Amino acid sequence: MPIVHEGLAREFEYVTREDEREMILAQIEAGDALMQQMAYSLITGDHHAIDELTQKALGEGREANDILDEGLIAGMAVVGVKFRDNIIFVPEVLIAARAMKAGMAHIDPILSASGVEPVGTAVFGTVKGDLHDIGKNLCIMMMRGAGFIVHDLGVDTKPDEFIEAADENNADLVMMSALLTTTMPNMGRTITAFEDMGIRDEYKFMTGGASVTQEFADDMGADGYGDNAISCVAKAKELIGVAQTARSG
Ligand code: B12
């Protein structure tokens, strides 16, 4: 269905990159008016509306997956773009994240009970010395929404903790976030710690965070980098050989 929700149509105009317009529009158009209302409520951070609309959609017998893809993730994709392009800032992102959480609270139990085969397993932490976790949490939420099992290691995560968690959870991906110039090198140190243990090749490493660049990620010896939650999911899927779908955001 084309975009019929006026507010959502206005919000969609913030998506200006041609490739993103195409992908996000496909996600939106896969849904109907109710899904568009959800996407809009997510973008505007109306967590009460998301709470009600998610229950309504489930009550109407819609698939949890569809609600996630066509409503919540479609909305969050627009939020990610607006944030990257400095149209909205941290408070708005946090408010949208709270709305996403309100919807996920109803969807999570259904998805985990449905026995859908997870696409992969990741351990994800903010590196040693760094307490910034907003971006990490956003990435984790999108990764989980895309079907990954993600073990959240929190902030100030030491190399040993990454190693232990990756081993214990039989992870495919080790994902690190860092926002400070002073802590970014700890991503490289973490990879080196895996190398020292002789287990570096058992995992794919991904890095990200506001000041991290592709070049820096390459220098650190990472396998992948993403500059936002959308590319984070897309790259994670690429690295473990999962086909891209609209759901990768
Ligand atoms: C919020 C914030 C804080 C909060 C953190 C709250 C929290 N729970 O996270 C608080 C107030 C605690 C804080 C503290 C500090 N901060 Co601060 N903080 C910020 C701020 C304003 C926003 C960061 C943020 O959350 N952005 C929103 C999220 C969504 O974006 P993001 O983290 O970049 O994540 C996205 C991508 O990068 C990517 N991504 C993130 N991680 C990963 C991982 C992977 C694997 C992938 C693929 C992608 C990916 O996807 C995310 C979603 O799109 C930034 C400024 C800025 N513009 O970045 C400064 C900033 C990062 N802080 C800064 C500083 C200096 C500090 C302090 C040292 C200040 C002080 N003197 O005490 C302390 C350090 C504390 C510590 N040890 O970590 C500097 C860093 C400068 C530098 N280059 O080193 C910045 C850039 C501000 C500035 N311009 O000076 N900070």
Side-chain angles (χ1 to χ4, degrees):
M1 174 187 280
I3 303 184
V4 290
H5 189 285
E6 271 180 34
L8 184 61
R10 270 197 312 275
E11 291 293 337
F12 183 66
E13 288 312 307
Y14 288 113
V15 184
T16 51
R17 282 196 202 168
E18 214 36 63
D19 55 334
E20 288 176 348
R21 278 184 76 84
E22 207 176 298
M23 189 161 60
I24 296 173
L25 189 62
Q27 241 170 332
I28 292 172
E29 289 188 342
D32 59 8
L34 178 59
M35 292 300 112
Q36 293 187 15
Q37 174 69 44
M38 284 191 77
Y40 178 72
S41 301
L42 192 286
I43 297 166
T44 53
D46 188 343
H47 68 102
H48 292 301
I50 290 289
D51 179 45
E52 279 168 24
L53 293 169
T54 310
Q55 294 189 68
K56 180 172 181 216
L58 287 170
E60 287 177 2
R62 289 162 202 259
E63 294 290 332
N65 259 331
D66 292 343
I67 300 170
L68 191 59
D69 286 348
E70 297 157 11
L72 300 175
I73 293 187
M76 195 47 106
V78 177
V79 172
V81 168
K82 286 178 76 180
F83 180 67
R84 183 199 58 213
D85 294 347
N86 294 321
I87 294 154
I88 56 169
F89 299 94
V90 172
E92 289 97 327
V93 176
L94 288 178
I95 290 167
R98 181 178 58 174
M100 181 93 177
K101 237 179 160 179
M104 287 301 284
H106 301 294
I107 284 173
D108 251 352
I110 297 170
L111 287 185
S112 15
S114 66
V116 173
E117 193 64 26
V119 299
T121 301
V123 293
F124 205 143
T126 302
V127 296
K128 185 179 167 200
D130 202 316
L131 304 176
H132 295 86
D133 68 357
I134 297 171
K136 168 184 70 67
N137 293 344
L138 201 57
C139 287
I140 289 178
M141 199 165 64
M142 294 292 272
M143 294 269 300
R144 287 183 177 152
F148 282 87
I149 293 176
V150 187
H151 299 275
D152 184 355
L153 309 185
V155 296
D156 191 22
T157 313
K158 282 94 184 155
D160 286 357
E161 293 168 337
F162 277 106
I163 291 174
E164 206 179 304
D167 178 45
E168 261 176 23
N169 297 296
N170 202 13
D172 305 297
L173 293 153
V174 176
M175 312 194 54
M176 296 175 279
S177 184
L179 267 82
L180 300 171
T181 320
T182 48
T183 58
M184 279 160 53
N186 289 336
M187 303 202 274
R189 292 186 187 115
T190 302
I191 298 175
T192 305
F194 278 80
E195 273 165 11
D196 292 346
M197 300 277 293
I199 54 171
R200 195 264 171 252
D201 293 338
E202 291 177 24
Y203 308 99
K204 296 289 182 195
F205 289 83
M206 280 186 65
T207 58
S211 317
V212 182
T213 58
Q214 179 69 60
E215 196 188 2
F216 186 85
D218 292 342
D219 286 350
M220 293 288 112
D223 302 299
Y225 157 77
D227 65 358
N228 60 65
I230 306 171
S231 58
C232 174
V233 172
K235 192 72 199 176
K237 285 189 165 183
E238 183 193 316
L239 283 177
I240 62 166
V242 176
Q244 299 291 331
T245 66
R247 208 172 164 196
S248 60

